[in-house]
Amino acid sequence: MPFNPNQSLPQEEVTERVDTAIAENEVVLFMKGNELMPQCGYSDRALRLIKQHREDVECVDTLESLEEFRVALKEHSGWETTPQTFVDGEFVGGSDVLAELHERGELAATLDAE
């Protein structure tokens, strides 16, 4: 799928996708790129940290409509940046927070992986 930075989806559609992904998945990662090909180092780092503790994570590629995803995510987390991780509907954080939790030995419990 070619990346066209000028293409965007309607805000309502993106907001609904974000709301649904958070509501229907135990762990969801909003990232640049996808599970097979992360498109930024922070997204790759977040995905690798999560995958150390569990395989079942829903990955949502925000590059499809970046500005609209930023708006929709900010409504849930207060942050516009990606990656963003949600567990059981609650915002956990980005790659830096996941790394801190990992270093403290708390990431597995946060991801309900135990």
Side-chain angles (χ1 to χ4, degrees):
M1 179 169 124
F3 173 61
N4 180 354
N6 297 322
Q7 176 183 346
S8 64
L9 299 170
Q11 184 64 58
E12 301 78 29
E13 181 180 336
V14 173
T15 299
E16 183 176 324
R17 283 188 189 184
V18 169
D19 294 348
T20 301
I22 291 171
E24 293 182 355
N25 295 283
E26 191 172 331
V27 178
V28 62
L29 174 64
F30 294 92
M31 61 184 286
K32 291 179 181 173
N34 60 47
E35 191 170 355
L36 297 176
M37 193 178 299
Q39 294 297 305
C40 87
Y42 296 111
S43 293
D44 182 52
R45 181 182 185 199
L47 181 61
R48 283 187 290 113
L49 286 164
I50 292 168
K51 290 287 192 168
Q52 287 181 32
H53 301 284
R54 63 183 303 149
E55 284 297 315
D56 59 327
V57 56
E58 178 69 20
C59 295
V60 178
D61 184 356
T62 62
L63 289 176
E64 184 177 8
S65 196
L66 191 56
E67 290 306 314
E68 290 74 18
F69 271 102
R70 286 180 174 158
V71 169
L73 287 168
K74 187 173 182 180
E75 292 177 20
H76 288 275
S77 67
W79 294 94
E80 296 179 346
T81 57
T82 55
Q84 290 191 22
T85 307
F86 290 81
V87 177
D88 292 328
E90 297 294 322
F91 176 59
V92 173
S95 63
D96 55 341
V97 172
L98 295 178
E100 289 174 20
L101 290 168
H102 177 72
E103 289 171 13
R104 293 194 313 242
E106 300 172 4
L107 186 55
T110 300
L111 296 172
D112 293 328
E114 297 181 316

